[in-house]
Amino acid sequence: MSIPVLIVAALLFFWIIGAAQRLKRLRSAATTLFAPLSSDLRQRHAIALALAHASRPMLGDEHALIVRLVETAQAAGHTLDAAQARSMRGTALQAIGEAEVALLQALDALALHLQDLTSGSGPVAAITELLRQRDTLQEQLAADRHLYNHAAQTYNDALHLFPTTLVATLLRLRDAPLLASGAAPSRGGVLVSRPTPMI
């Protein structure tokens, strides 16, 4: 084999190694930036459980809305645990989205019921504070979502840039799902694309 051919082969080899390392680094950055969003979701689970507990004196322990909220909050937590144990692979974000939309619906249903009971005067102090925390948390979710989306889009762009896309195909790398707002600001949700289930 001639020296020019060997040089070209060596350059190609080192380019492939470099491209693969860059893609893995970008994917790792996106995964790392999902961690704060995950922390916010866990905080919302805690707020939901605290709201259920604070509502018991007013509604009773076995009220259907309270039972539903507790069950969906616990299920959302278990789903997030399972997804992180799998390093957010496969349909992990999809599963989180489905669990979180159930939690959001249960959380909103209880909040609206409590507001109806108080005839527009607002819930008791503890419940009012928990609802305030829920709304404040949405702002943090939006900020974390923006950072994650930027990193994920950077990775996706690199993934589809020729000839890097050939390396991506060789390594079987896939697009990172993007997150988008999926609810009114006061209802604190994010959506996952692919198709888009709510978080």
Side-chain angles (χ1 to χ4, degrees):
M1 187 177 293
S2 65
I3 292 178
V5 172
L6 288 175
I7 292 175
V8 170
L11 290 175
L12 180 61
F13 173 78
F14 285 115
W15 177 83
I16 290 174
I17 296 299
Q21 289 178 341
R22 179 170 181 266
L23 288 175
K24 290 180 179 179
R25 185 171 64 252
L26 291 173
R27 182 178 62 178
S28 177
T31 301
T32 298
L33 285 171
F34 186 80
L37 184 59
S38 172
S39 177
D40 289 342
L41 293 176
R42 290 191 185 281
Q43 186 176 345
R44 184 160 63 189
H45 303 164
I47 289 173
L49 291 172
L51 182 62
H53 177 75
S55 302
R56 285 191 170 104
M58 185 182 299
L59 302 178
D61 290 345
E62 301 303 319
H63 193 282
L65 291 175
I66 291 178
V67 172
R68 178 189 173 198
L69 182 57
V70 170
E71 290 177 348
T72 55
Q74 292 175 341
H78 294 326
T79 301
L80 189 54
D81 289 340
Q84 292 182 319
R86 295 168 52 203
S87 300
M88 305 306 296
R89 294 177 181 172
T91 58
L93 278 180
Q94 184 80 13
I96 293 173
E98 292 170 355
E100 291 294 334
V101 70
L103 173 58
L104 277 172
Q105 291 170 347
L107 187 56
D108 284 348
L110 179 58
L112 290 173
H113 185 68
L114 291 170
Q115 290 171 359
D116 289 342
L117 286 180
T118 53
S119 301
S121 61
V124 295
I127 294 174
T128 301
E129 173 59 19
L130 288 168
L131 294 176
R132 184 197 65 78
Q133 291 178 19
R134 178 196 64 168
D135 294 342
T136 300
L137 184 59
Q138 167 58 15
E139 298 178 6
Q140 187 60 47
L141 278 165
D144 292 341
R145 185 176 63 243
H146 174 75
L147 292 175
Y148 167 82
N149 274 348
H150 178 74
Q153 189 61 61
T154 300
Y155 164 71
N156 291 344
D157 290 344
L159 204 64
H160 295 287
L161 182 66
F162 185 84
T164 307
T165 186
L166 300 177
V167 178
T169 301
L170 182 64
L171 297 177
R172 297 182 179 179
L173 297 177
R174 299 179 180 178
D175 289 86
L178 298 179
L179 306 174
S181 177
S186 63
R187 300 210 176 184
V190 294
L191 267 175
V192 178
S193 64
R194 186 184 70 175
T196 49
M198 266 194 281
I199 288 184

